[in-house]
Amino acid sequence: MTQQGVRRPADRVSALTPDAASRRTGSGLDERVEERTAKEREEEKRASGGPADPEAARRRAERREQRVTAGVTELEQRLADLLRGGLASAEQEGYALWDETAARMVDAQAPGLAAKTRELGAIPASGPGWPARLLEECALLHLLAQGWLRRDRLPDALAATVRSRIGLPASADGPPLRDRWLVLAQYDTADPKLTVRRIWLHGTDSGRTRLLLSYGAAGRAPELSLPVGHTLEADLTVFPGAGQLRAALGEGYAPPAPATTRPEGLSTAQAMARYGDALREDPWLDTVPVTLEGVVPVPDERPGTWQLADAEGDSKTDPAADAALPLTPAFLARPGLWRLIALSGGTPLTVFGELGHRGFTPLTAWPAHPGAPVTLH
């Protein structure tokens, strides 16, 4: 597959950093988020001081939904005004326009909408082709807003996904799944205030892939840490939502131990089909976890770019055999690329990573011969 082969309706620019002015305006929004969160915590604290009052909880939920609906309606109007006036106005207005809109979404208690709105402000400075990218992102935001306004007509799972994307809190529910979970990957992302650890697990019996999230204050590593390539026997409970992979770690039955197996993988064509299926359930999804089997890193047509291609396959009898997954620009800039190339040496590998609209980001690789996994992040 070419570099354009893995796409979703929008090419996100969340990795772009706003200019100094936008960072200054963003700090005010962060303070409003913290103030709103502090108020909510105080309300919960007062509510928890006595016996649970279902009626009071219902009224609080109704009031929040009313605020979210008011915020969504305002956002829809602002998107309509943008399209009516022309996308060029977004470049003239600069980041302040979107920062103000995001602040309104914070007031509406819709932090998910606030984050997505802030991303729009960076698009006009993202280089050639920005109007198309801005239009695509506005369309996704419009889709989310309409999903909220029509949530009562959606299937329960999709409605839960919309609530999650809006930013409403949710708890893991449903029966716990006990399995021997193989730790596929673990990596941290950090900003000035928070460190987020993502841990991908694969059930060796169920075949399910699940994501654990752990948080730490700025400059501190999260408490939860699981060694890649080990398995642990434990219960996991998923969060509600269509295609939701995030789970909460429950009771453990045995400490992590080195694994003797590796996950079964897919071809590149099968991986692309899985990504398409996932987008059908959650149109706002950025990436899906995928294990590729029998792939080799090969240079792409453009200088400095690489892709993972199936080691076997006859393009004459199977057109999908020509498919390949481009590696994301972020991964190409990391040392993990050269570890991946050295580990392969032209031989097929099993590689786990995240597949999205920018391409494939390898996180862990297993050599063709028996051996320990190699982390690539």
Side-chain angles (χ1 to χ4, degrees):
M1 185 190 70
T2 64
Q3 184 73 16
Q4 289 76 29
V6 176
R7 305 293 292 178
R8 60 161 235 170
D11 187 10
R12 292 209 176 276
V13 293
S14 56
L16 295 175
T17 302
D19 57 21
S22 67
R23 285 194 295 269
R24 288 195 295 270
T25 58
S27 63
L29 176 57
D30 293 336
E31 292 173 358
R32 300 180 76 157
V33 172
E34 291 178 354
E35 180 182 357
R36 175 69 67 183
T37 304
K39 290 181 179 179
E40 291 177 354
R41 285 199 299 264
E42 185 63 27
E43 290 180 1
E44 292 173 356
K45 183 177 179 181
R46 289 196 300 267
S48 62
D53 186 347
E55 182 61 24
R58 184 188 63 80
R59 290 196 299 268
R60 287 195 299 271
E62 286 183 351
R63 288 196 298 269
R64 179 164 189 175
E65 290 196 357
Q66 290 171 358
R67 286 192 288 266
V68 171
T69 298
V72 167
T73 303
E74 181 177 346
L75 177 61
E76 284 283 81
Q77 184 60 53
R78 296 204 177 196
L79 292 175
D81 291 343
L82 172 65
L83 297 180
R84 188 179 299 111
L87 295 181
S89 62
E91 187 176 29
Q92 297 167 0
E93 293 283 350
Y95 194 82
L97 169 67
W98 299 110
D99 189 72
E100 177 190 354
T101 305
R104 297 289 295 163
M105 296 306 102
V106 172
D107 292 340
Q109 292 186 274
L113 285 181
K116 291 181 180 298
T117 302
R118 290 187 68 182
E119 291 178 4
L120 298 181
I123 297 179
S126 63
W130 69 264
R133 292 193 292 274
L134 179 60
L135 184 61
E136 291 167 352
E137 290 297 328
C138 288
L140 282 173
L141 199 53
H142 169 69
L143 181 64
L144 181 57
Q146 289 297 311
W148 171 262
L149 296 175
R150 292 169 169 78
R151 61 192 181 279
D152 56 333
R153 308 179 196 175
L154 299 177
D156 291 343
L158 184 56
T161 298
V162 169
R163 293 176 64 86
S164 174
R165 295 295 181 183
I166 290 286
L168 299 185
S171 301
D173 61 4
L177 176 61
R178 178 174 177 175
D179 205 336
R180 292 178 297 114
W181 299 98
L182 171 63
V183 183
L184 296 174
Q186 173 179 289
Y187 67 94
D188 296 348
T189 56
D191 60 32
K193 295 184 178 181
L194 187 69
T195 299
V196 181
R197 174 164 295 166
R198 299 168 65 89
I199 304 175
W200 285 109
L201 304 177
H202 179 76
T204 57
D205 296 328
S206 66
R208 307 285 180 83
T209 301
R210 294 290 181 256
L211 173 66
L212 301 181
L213 295 181
S214 183
Y215 302 93
R220 293 187 177 182
E223 291 185 4
L224 181 61
S225 180
L226 299 174
V228 175
H230 283 51
T231 57
L232 71 155
E233 187 173 356
D235 290 334
L236 292 187
T237 305
V238 298
F239 284 75
Q244 179 63 261
L245 298 178
R246 186 187 172 191
L249 183 62
E251 182 179 356
Y253 302 98
T260 58
T261 60
R262 60 183 64 182
E264 296 183 359
L266 306 174
S267 67
T268 56
Q270 291 171 331
M272 287 186 286
R274 173 169 294 184
Y275 181 49
D277 291 341
L279 283 179
R280 185 171 60 246
E281 295 184 333
D282 183 355
W284 308 278
L285 190 66
D286 284 323
T287 60
V288 295
V290 170
T291 300
L292 302 174
E293 188 172 6
V295 293
V296 293
V298 295
D300 205 344
E301 296 176 354
R302 297 185 302 164
T305 60
W306 288 74
Q307 58 187 355
L308 287 176
D310 296 311
E312 297 180 358
D314 185 356
S315 60
K316 294 181 180 179
T317 59
D318 181 11
D322 281 337
L325 299 180
L327 300 181
T328 57
F331 180 76
L332 293 174
R334 299 174 188 154
L337 170 64
W338 305 110
R339 290 201 296 270
L340 178 67
I341 295 171
L343 182 66
S344 171
T347 60
L349 301 173
T350 297
V351 183
F352 171 78
E354 296 173 347
L355 175 61
H357 55 285
R358 292 181 180 272
F360 184 76
T361 301
L363 298 174
T364 308
W366 289 260
H369 54 78
V374 175
T375 58
L376 303 171
H377 192 276

